[in-house]
């Protein structure tokens, strides 16, 4: 050719891919940290359910059906963490939110599969799944800031 311009796309494509990965990772991590704060706020609120006597004196009010669980002691609230774990390949980053407290798993899953209280009401206190569901729109907002045409299902 007498006159031409050359363009090399591979290096730019790799840089663009790294930029997209970094932006999406920041958005997802920020969202999970928001969910973490949301959970602490919700689980720190007093319950409106039944009042129980505590051994040694005193009482506490439990959460009513449909409320986030009332946490009498702070172990669960203080142990909700967001971690980055290795992805399955070089193109993925996996984030994890949860707790090492056994109480977290018990609250989330012990009343699944139709387990009911004696009065027939669902006694579950789903907390993590519920918070992720309730905060889903926040993730869409964060992703749209980074990627204007994105949305999660």
């Amino acid at each position: 050719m007498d006159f031409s311009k050359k363009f090399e796309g591979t290096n730019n494509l790799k840089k663009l891919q790294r930029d997209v990965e970094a932006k999406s990772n920041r958005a997802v991590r920020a969202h999970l940290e928001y969910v973490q704060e949301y959970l602490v706020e919700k689980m720190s609120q007093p319950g409106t359910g039944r009042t129980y006597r505590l051994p040694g004196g005193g009482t506490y009010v439990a959460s009513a059906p449909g409320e986030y669980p009332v946490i009498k002691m702070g172990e669960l609230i203080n142990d909700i963490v967001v971690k980055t774990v290795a992805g399955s390949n070089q193109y993925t980053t996996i984030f994890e939110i949860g707790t090492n407290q056994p109480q977290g798993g018990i609250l989330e899953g012990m009343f699944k599969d139709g387990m009911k209280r004696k009065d027939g009401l669902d006694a579950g206190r789903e907390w993590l799944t519920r918070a992720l569901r309730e905060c889903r729109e926040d993730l869409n907002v964060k992703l749209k800031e980074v990627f204007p045409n994105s949305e999660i299902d």
Side-chain angles (χ1 to χ4, degrees):
M1 290 187 173
D2 291 335
F3 178 77
S4 68
K5 291 189 177 198
K6 294 182 181 176
F7 297 91
E8 187 171 332
T10 13
N11 291 339
N12 290 337
L13 186 59
K14 287 179 183 176
K15 182 185 180 311
L16 178 63
Q17 181 182 0
R18 283 191 303 271
D19 289 349
V20 167
E21 272 180 39
K23 286 179 181 179
S24 64
N25 286 346
R26 281 194 302 271
V28 170
R29 183 164 190 90
H31 170 67
L32 291 178
E33 288 169 353
Y34 171 80
V35 172
Q36 179 184 25
E37 292 169 11
Y38 182 85
L39 279 166
V40 170
E41 177 189 326
K42 291 291 187 180
M43 294 171 86
S44 297
Q45 295 175 359
T48 61
R50 184 174 166 188
T51 301
Y52 291 91
R53 293 177 190 242
L54 296 171
T59 61
Y60 91 97
V61 180
S63 58
E67 293 179 342
Y68 277 87
V70 171
I71 305 301
K72 292 181 289 187
M73 297 176 281
E75 293 98 353
L76 179 60
I77 291 174
N78 295 329
D79 194 53
I80 298 170
V81 294
V82 176
K83 296 191 302 187
T84 305
V85 295
S88 57
N89 60 48
Q90 66 184 16
Y91 304 109
T92 60
T93 303
I94 298 173
F95 296 95
E96 184 176 38
I97 183 169
T99 180
N100 289 323
Q101 297 294 324
Q103 179 186 13
I106 291 169
L107 286 169
E108 184 74 20
M110 75 182 285
F111 294 104
K112 300 260 187 235
D113 303 323
M115 289 185 71
K116 304 285 182 188
R117 298 186 327 188
K118 289 179 186 175
D119 58 9
L121 296 173
D122 181 6
R125 294 292 183 269
E126 190 176 73
W127 59 281
L128 183 57
T129 304
R130 179 179 176 185
L132 289 167
R133 187 173 50 248
E134 290 174 358
C135 295
R136 176 170 264 156
E137 189 54 37
D138 174 71
L139 178 57
N140 277 330
V141 169
K142 282 185 173 60
L143 287 174
K144 282 181 190 240
E145 289 171 4
V146 179
F147 309 106
N149 296 322
S150 67
E151 188 165 327
I152 60 169
D153 294 326

